[in-house]
Amino acid sequence: MGERMTSRERLVAAIEHRDPDRVPIDLGGFQTGIHVRAYRPLLEYLGIEDDERILDPVQQLAVPCEAVLERLHVDTRYLCAHAPEGATGGIEQHVRDGRLWHDLKDDFGVVWSMPDDQQLFMDISHHPLADATAEDLDDYPWPNGKDWSRFTGLREQAQRMRRDTPYALSTGIGGVVYEIGWYLRGLDQWFSDMLVDPSFCAAVLDHTLAFWMDYYTGFMGEVGDLVDVVMIGDDLAGQSGPLFSPDFYRTVVKPRQKRLVQHIKSLTSAKIWYHTCGGCAAYIPDLLDNGIDALNPVQISAAGMDPAVLKREFGARLVFWGGGIDAQHVLPFATPEEVREHVRRNIEAFKPGGGYVFNNVHNIQYGVPPENIVALFDAAFAFGGYA
């Protein structure tokens, strides 16, 4: 394929709803990445050597090396914050009931754990506000969003990437206003709270929002003029539709999400990318009203997420980022030829008029054959061209 644009030019054209030379391709982020145990066989299949680096210990995502990203025609690169100065976190190993566990406490005090004999994902093992009352919230040690030591060196890194590479630049994901509530509380208790004590939920979300407002003030102050995309998100939907009452979303969650989106947009001209899994079509008008520009991961196997329908109804206003293949039924189990055909159909639905960035639906998981991963990205490159 004759490429007429740089990667950055290509992605910017697509997210501005203009025709690029080909559909931009993404891989390597926190919601658009690859599990380390899928990455290892991919390296072997491609004959590429790389030291294993973990981007996200909770999801066990790898940092793909440049050789892999170039082979798969990936147009994006990521710029991520780091732990604040003096942070004492990190993974600790503990033995419980005769089993070795890897434990990680995050900034909000939530503990994530993974058994050593599994090493697939971390799940929450401690919800620090499980028994809290509303009166306890003000005394809880919320993280300091104004500790901008998280961003030390990021501006210099972003300037080098813009100067020395042709790639589009995105932040890692943040802005998790809603989900942290149930991380802190526990899912069962949180869902009960939403029904019987929504004011408690609102108070928790006020604290998470305050953190992210301060965080993005510092982050965008460093790199807001250099990044092309800012990634935020909260899962709102599951396989069959919304995970909780849309009325609760619209009265409690949405106003706080909207404040954050509008705050970020006041600090940067970068496009706002929003992640929610599941059948989220009913929420797309709300998300557009919040001010988002792109939706990820576009779970095409969920209810109401047909690519042609989504493109027809929302394609003029919304960038679809993902949706490249049915990641539940096709990518892990089909032949490479079937993967290729599935990708072709989805790209043909999403790409007219720009407004589309290709990726798998969410992360590439352990067990996906490496030949299918290569077929996925090669098909995107082969079928993504614009006349």
Side-chain angles (χ1 to χ4, degrees):
M1 178 183 295
E3 297 182 289
R4 305 182 304 276
M5 294 179 167
T6 67
S7 288
R8 181 171 183 268
E9 290 169 342
R10 181 175 300 121
L11 184 126
V12 169
I15 62 180
E16 291 180 349
H17 297 272
R18 296 182 283 114
D19 284 1
D21 56 349
R22 66 165 172 83
V23 169
I25 296 172
D26 174 47
L27 176 68
F30 289 84
Q31 266 63 32
T32 61
I34 181 168
H35 194 284
V36 66
R37 291 178 66 180
Y39 185 61
R40 292 170 194 159
L42 177 63
L43 290 171
E44 294 175 8
Y45 182 80
L46 293 174
I48 295 173
E49 294 185 2
D50 183 29
D51 294 330
E52 223 170 74
R53 293 168 293 157
I54 297 293
L55 174 69
D56 179 359
V58 170
Q59 299 180 90
Q60 287 292 288
L61 298 180
V63 179
C65 68
E66 280 299 309
V68 168
L69 296 174
E70 290 171 6
R71 168 60 185 84
L72 300 181
H73 317 288
V74 175
D75 295 295
T76 51
R77 298 296 185 269
Y78 283 84
L79 185 73
C80 301
H82 49 74
E85 292 178 5
T88 58
I91 295 176
E92 298 181 354
Q93 294 186 348
H94 300 100
V95 176
R96 294 190 291 274
D97 299 323
R99 200 177 187 190
L100 179 63
W101 289 83
H102 301 256
D103 297 330
L104 173 68
K105 180 183 286 189
D106 68 20
D107 286 351
F108 286 85
V110 178
V111 179
W112 302 78
S113 299
M114 176 179 67
D116 186 72
D117 55 10
Q118 178 211 64
Q119 297 203 19
L120 290 175
F121 308 102
M122 287 184 159
D123 292 305
I124 298 176
S125 59
H126 175 63
H127 306 280
L129 292 182
D131 300 315
T133 65
E135 291 71 26
D136 297 324
L137 296 182
D138 287 340
D139 295 327
Y140 186 72
W142 300 97
N144 178 14
K146 292 181 179 179
D147 185 348
W148 296 340
S149 65
R150 304 167 189 272
F151 315 125
T152 304
L154 286 189
R155 183 164 186 83
E156 292 76 15
Q157 182 184 351
Q159 288 173 328
R160 287 194 303 271
M161 295 170 78
R162 287 292 294 267
R163 181 184 65 243
D164 300 336
T165 81
Y167 302 111
L169 187 55
S170 174
T171 70
I173 195 168
V176 185
V177 172
Y178 165 78
E179 278 190 83
I180 289 172
W182 76 255
Y183 298 170
L184 289 162
R185 192 72 164 150
L187 191 60
D188 290 352
Q189 184 59 55
W190 181 258
F191 272 37
S192 296
D193 294 335
M194 286 195 290
L195 292 173
V196 302
D197 195 1
S199 63
F200 178 87
C201 297
V204 172
L205 298 191
D206 284 338
H207 284 283
T208 60
L209 173 63
F211 169 80
W212 290 116
M213 295 282 280
D214 290 337
Y215 176 98
Y216 280 105
T217 299
F219 200 173
M220 294 300 100
E222 289 294 315
V223 299
D225 59 327
L226 298 172
V227 295
D228 302 299
V229 178
V230 177
M231 294 187 167
I232 65 173
D234 279 305
D235 278 332
L236 304 176
Q239 191 73 28
S240 59
L243 286 168
F244 53 90
S245 165
D247 181 65
F248 181 89
Y249 172 74
R250 292 181 177 121
T251 58
V252 177
V253 181
K254 177 182 174 179
R256 291 162 174 84
Q257 286 186 336
K258 187 171 184 176
R259 279 188 61 197
L260 179 62
V261 171
Q262 294 302 315
H263 177 62
I264 296 171
K265 294 193 106 166
S266 74
L267 301 170
T268 179
S269 60
K271 299 296 185 182
I272 308 298
W273 171 109
Y274 181 87
H275 169 88
T276 174
C277 292
C280 62
Y283 285 136
I284 290 177
D286 297 287
L287 297 173
L288 287 167
D289 179 65
N290 288 351
I292 74 154
D293 302 291
L295 177 69
N296 168 270
V298 197
Q299 189 179 333
I300 59 174
S301 58
M305 300 295 286
D306 178 82
V309 175
L310 291 173
K311 185 70 175 184
R312 182 177 66 246
E313 294 188 2
F314 303 108
R317 295 176 290 158
L318 184 64
V319 175
F320 295 102
W321 190 305
I325 195 167
D326 180 338
Q328 294 172 286
H329 309 101
V330 178
L331 182 60
F333 306 118
T335 66
E337 292 74 21
E338 290 167 333
V339 167
R340 180 179 174 90
E341 176 59 19
H342 195 76
V343 169
R344 184 193 66 79
R345 293 199 304 269
N346 291 325
I347 283 183
E348 290 303 316
F350 279 125
K351 81 175 186 180
Y356 183 55
V357 180
F358 179 86
N359 202 316
N360 177 40
V361 173
H362 218 301
N363 302 318
I364 298 170
Q365 298 297 342
Y366 169 56
V368 175
E371 55 268 31
N372 284 11
I373 299 172
V374 173
L376 175 76
F377 288 94
D378 282 356
F381 186 72
F383 299 122
Y386 288 79

